[in-house]
Amino acid sequence: MSIVTVQLGQCGNQVGQELFEVISNDANDTQRKVYSECSSERFFNETANRELVARSVLIDMEPKVISQSIAKTGKSGKWRYGDRSHFSQKQGSGNNWANGYCVHGPRHEEVVMDIVRREVEHCDCLAGIVAMMSVAGGTGSGVGTYVTQCLRDTYPNSFILNHLTWPYGTGEVIVQNYNSVLTLSHLYQLSDAILVHENDTVHKICAQLMNIKHISFRDVNKVIAHQLGSVLQPALTGDSHGIYNRNPIGQLMSSLVCHPEYKLLSVCNIPQVSSSSMAYSMFTWPGLLKHLRQMLIANSKMEEGIDWQVRAPSLQPEGTERTGSHRRPGFNTSLANLLILRGKDVNDAEISGFQHPSLYTPWLPADEAFSMWKTPVPFNKYEKSAILVSNSQTLLRPLDNMVGKAWNMFASRAYIHQYTKFGISEEDFLDSFTSLEQVISSYSQL
Amino acid sequence: MLAKVVLPRWLMSGAYQWEYHYLKLEELANVYMGQLVSQFSMTDYPLSFHGLCSAVGQCGNQVGCRFWDLALREHSHVNKKGIYDEALSSFFRNVDSRRSVGGSCDITGGRIQSLKARAVLVDMEEGVVNEILQGPLRELFDSTQLITDVSGSGNNWAVGHWTYGSAYREQIVDQLRRAAEHCDCLQCFFLIHSMGGGTGSGLGTCVLKLLEEEFPEVCRIVTSVYPSAEDDVVTSPYNSVLAMRELTEHADCVLPVENQSLVDIVNKIKHMSHSGKPGSVIKKDSAIISGQGGVSGAEKPFDAMNNIVANLLLNITSSARFEGSLNMDLNEIAMNLVPFPRLHYLVPSLTPLYTLADVNIPTRRLDQMFTDAFSKDHQLIRADPKHSLYLACALMVRGNVQVSDLRRNIERLKPMLPFVSWNQEGWKTGLCSVPPVGHSHSLLALANNTCVKSTFMELRDRFTKLYRKKAHMHHYLHVDGMEQGCFTEAISSLSSLIEEYSQLDATKDRPMPDAARLNIAT
């Protein structure tokens, strides 16, 4: 089964390109034929001349980024983008969500959906659609939201996963919080699940784990691509009897998103080291899993600087009511977790630490809350890697900050005229704030 | 190892001039294999940013002239092969000059044949425009792009705005439409003018209104040169205040520049280059005030000051013309820096203003550039933004600078800069890889800051001194279309603008509590 990706805006297109690089390198690297074929089928379309064409649609409102992407991949010889799989304009969206959503989206709906349809038709069987974008700018956020709406209308029974990149907390774009609030509130209704990477977090990984001195956006994008690739590449589920999972996105959704109020997912991937240290590193499953578990409950995205003081709460004795008092400060409660293990000796890995009910919210049984996939095939040159996709409180604080800052700005009505002139009213803003406060409230009460 | 090589440098007349270059061996190999492809010769790419410039009046045209000259210098510096590329197309058309003027058609891509500026030049006196037509830049303009008259506006805003405004309205609209039709995608209008005279101020603001009527969706960015207090035009306060009202109502963004600041900067640079401090030499040919290396010949009196303003325009458009890791186009500037529609006056500051030839530690020099951008000496109006309130700030960095350098400096400077409570992180940033000629990096800061208030208040005072005595008013009132009401409306508009800034200022040292969040029923 195949996945179609839709790359939207500068960020979506830059990250998307790195993602296909990672996937193609990973699939080529391995001796395992079945894995490679599955990965290839999932992400690429093989043409008559044995060329690999990415199952991807590229959309932007200005031409420079897409042009560079296509030229670069065309030269690499390993894979390329489809000749007619892209759409760009010349204007840009001016960092304005309303411009993207109300003007550019509808204006170009037909052309864009045509390209998507063609790409979907190339798939024997569609596993799902992954839309990649940022939330801070105008195109990824505004046009991205509109396109997601069109995808939902056109493919009501398909799985739609939105991959979002959240901006640095201290401004890349002044109106980023408005754009983010508008995007998230709309996507919550349209998307099946929302997988988030934050620039701040990834930047720290680059700085502290990978020791990169002058971090560029390219470095950040590569880390995001590595993490996303490690989730989407083929894996075996418990009941798949040695055949690679044919419905990865559907499985992801059913494992992690059991309730429509809770759709925010985050990724933790260990180990992450610079390529120069990789040769000298030895990792064991117990070591990796111990760190990963603590990263989950202490809400850390890196192997370094984990707070080992945070402990899981002790369970109430049988029969007593589990109340809010079981929640400890600093403890990250999960709704559901998906653990993916890739590499040598996977079957020896001891994962019971992730199945303990104390990690999870009381109203879901722990054995339903936890799932695991694995494959003996190592990912992207790491002999062993452990990936945790979580539906937990991890994103609660960043989300709350984002909404708080946007609300402060809204209280003085700053920049609102820039949105109302394209058709977004103050009521629309209030609706968006309300839905996100609801999401914040739901996650707080896990 | 370096090799000395003779390479062609194209001139806009289509001819080539041979120049010596010192190249590294690897570069040499590429040249002789015909592969020294400039990063920017993206001839297959659809054209993106197009900006249309309109220079009105004597000052506007003199600044405009420096702008075209320096733009050509900048592009020829990176575009060695003479290919008409996307970067050039932002401000220049490539035409086949063998055909007649009326039928001259645009050539996209390929060799540069004949460049025409995307511009409309307007002046009610012929002096400056004639000079342009006799100088080396004459080839840049078709006669249709020039709208002139003979007698000038007599330093009278009313004559510029109403008399010439109505007389030339049709012609101006026609020329603007023609120029716009030649743009694949018109993103922005630039208007360059001064505030103190009659044509730039009066007819210029009339052009602004026309732009809004004819092209309501295209961003209008105005560079306005404000007169100094000692301006020898007695009526400059009237002209400036009357023009201000139009700017407040009809412009999307205004970049105010004070003549006095330009004079101060130029004097400071001249003083430094003559002071001969031991161990420091100013590289004069890369000084921001120098037009050397451009196409025009010897420098004229106001050239140094005008070069600074021209550089402002080059820097603000750099990200739209050249590539970078974080693009910032002009619509984004207008979006992020204007929180309330009338408060769209953005204080510009440019660094570096000169280059030292002695080698400092590169990182320290880079950080110094950021510090300088916020110092009083580098602002293009006489104000000190550090002591007033920032509503928003944009940083456009050019050259070899990474996102980590940018973030480090913002972290460092943030504590010293007061931002309004609801925009504590009000930074908009852009990274363009191509530095200006003669520098390794440069920084343009645009601040929406309440310090403009002081400039406006001074202007209001000068206006009031004249208005109280009704001095010179009859010259204005007997112009058809002009009435007393124009004056009262203008001063009232200025006063309420000042009041809006004052109200924001009042919040400056008051700690504002976070707005109470919505309560959700659980």
Side-chain angles (χ1 to χ4, degrees), chain A residues 303-341:
Chain A
E303 300 97 286
E304 280 177 33
I306 305 175
D307 184 354
W308 290 95
Q309 299 301 325
V310 179
R311 295 276 157 76
S314 53
L315 278 187
Q316 308 288 42
E318 281 280 342
T320 54
E321 268 292 308
R322 284 180 73 178
T323 62
S325 61
H326 84 288
R327 272 182 245 122
R328 296 235 192 129
F331 181 80
N332 182 35
T333 309
S334 302
L335 177 59
N337 281 306
L338 168 63
L339 181 65
I340 308 176
L341 302 177

Side-chain angles (χ1 to χ4, degrees), chain B residues 148-293:
Chain B
T148 55
D149 202 306
V150 231
S151 14
S153 306
N155 289 322
N156 186 327
W157 184 91
V159 171
H161 195 89
W162 295 113
T163 314
Y164 286 122
S166 45
Y168 284 96
R169 189 203 161 90
E170 225 175 277
Q171 204 179 338
I172 292 174
V173 170
D174 261 348
Q175 287 320 311
L176 288 172
R177 282 220 200 100
R178 258 162 149 255
E181 269 158 35
H182 284 128
C183 296
D184 251 351
C185 173
L186 181 57
Q187 222 191 49
C188 177
F189 282 116
F190 287 97
L191 184 66
I192 314 172
H193 72 144
S194 70
M195 300 285 277
T199 303
S201 178
L203 186 53
T205 48
C206 184
V207 171
L208 180 63
K209 277 208 310 230
L210 291 176
L211 289 174
E212 192 183 35
E213 273 169 38
E214 298 290 319
F215 310 92
E217 290 170 8
V218 181
C219 189
R220 294 171 294 284
I221 301 189
V222 186
T223 306
S224 307
V225 181
Y226 284 68
S228 52
E230 299 83 35
D231 197 78
D232 50 3
V233 174
V234 177
T235 49
S236 69
Y238 282 163
N239 297 330
S240 303
V241 173
L242 288 163
M244 274 289 298
R245 178 177 181 262
E246 309 299 317
L247 293 183
T248 304
E249 301 296 312
H250 304 294
D252 288 309
C253 282
V254 178
L255 310 173
V257 174
E258 278 190 70
N259 253 346
Q260 193 56 51
S261 305
L262 298 178
V263 168
D264 291 343
I265 290 171
V266 169
N267 285 338
K268 185 178 152 210
I269 293 175
K270 291 214 171 105
H271 179 76
M272 294 193 83
S273 61
H274 290 132
S275 72
K277 283 206 204 108
S280 70
V281 173
I282 309 288
K283 255 164 70 175
K284 274 174 77 181
D285 63 353
S286 61
I288 206 161
I289 60 169
S290 161
Q292 275 187 31

